[in-house]
Amino acid sequence: MILVFLGPPGSGKGTQAKRLADRRGLPQLSTGDMLRSAIQSGSELGKRAKVLMDQGSLVPDDVVVGLIRERTLAPDCRDGFVLDGFPRTVAQGQSLEAMLNEQSRKLDAVVLFEIASEQLIERLSGRRTCSKCGAMYHVFAAPPRVRGVCDRCGGTELVQRDDDQAAVITKRLEVYSAQTAPLIGFYESRGQLARIDAAGTAAQVATALEQVVSAL
Ligand code: AMP
C-alpha cells in the first residue's frame, strides 16, 4: 500500500504516519526527517538544506525527489510505504506520479489532514522532540509522564525544533498555503483524495484514519 499524508505543519500527519506505518509494517518516509539526518551528519546537502529549513522555506524539488526516489527502491519499501511531508509542491506530485509509473506501482490514496490554522500555531509552538529517539510530545496536550524525561527511552533532552519558533511557524504556514495546498486540487481531480478531520485527539484521528485506510 502506498499512501501520501498531506496537511499543514502541525496537523499531526507525522504522528499518524508513524503509528499507521508501525501497525501495518510499512516504512514511514518523512522528507523532513531525512533532511534533519543530513543536517546531523554534516553533509553538504544537509548544510544547504539547513539554511532553507531554518527560515521556513522549502528545499528544492530535485533534492527531495532524489531522496525519495532512492529510498523507495530499498527492499523494505517493496510492499509499500507512507509518505509524510512529500510531495509538498505540484511539481513534486508530478515527479512522484512519474516515478511510480516507472516502477509500475500506484498510489492508493492521499489523506488530507484538515484543521484550522489557529490550532496549528498552538500545536507547533508546544511541540517537543526527544533528541535521542525522536518521540514527540506537546507541553500541554501530550507531556511526558515525568517532566523533561522521554517516556520511551528515558532521554532527558526534549527539544524544540529550530523551525518551530513563532516567526518561522508563520512562514511555514504561508509556504503551505502558497506551495503545498494546490496539491489538494491536483489529487482531487485524480479522485485520489480522502479527507479526515485532524482537529481531535491523536486517538480520534487514528480511528478516522483506520476507517479510511481499511476502506481502500
Ligand atoms: P517537516 O518535518 O515535514 O515539517 O519538514 C521540515 C522542513 O523540511 C520543511 O519546512 C522544509 O524546509 C523541508 N522539507 C521537508 N519536506 C520537504 C519537501 N517535500 N519539499 C521541500 N522541502 C521539504
Side-chain angles (χ1 to χ4, degrees), residues 133-179:
C133 76
M136 306 230 302
Y137 299 95
H138 188 280
V139 285
F140 305 122
R145 282 192 291 274
V146 178
R147 196 166 167 204
V149 181
C150 177
D151 292 346
R152 203 203 286 171
C153 76
T156 52
E157 269 185 40
L158 302 185
V159 297
Q160 185 171 37
R161 275 171 42 171
D162 288 342
D163 60 353
D164 278 344
Q165 318 286 337
V168 188
I169 290 174
T170 312
K171 172 76 192 289
R172 287 164 67 209
L173 294 177
E174 284 167 10
V175 166
Y176 176 79
S177 302
Q179 301 190 53

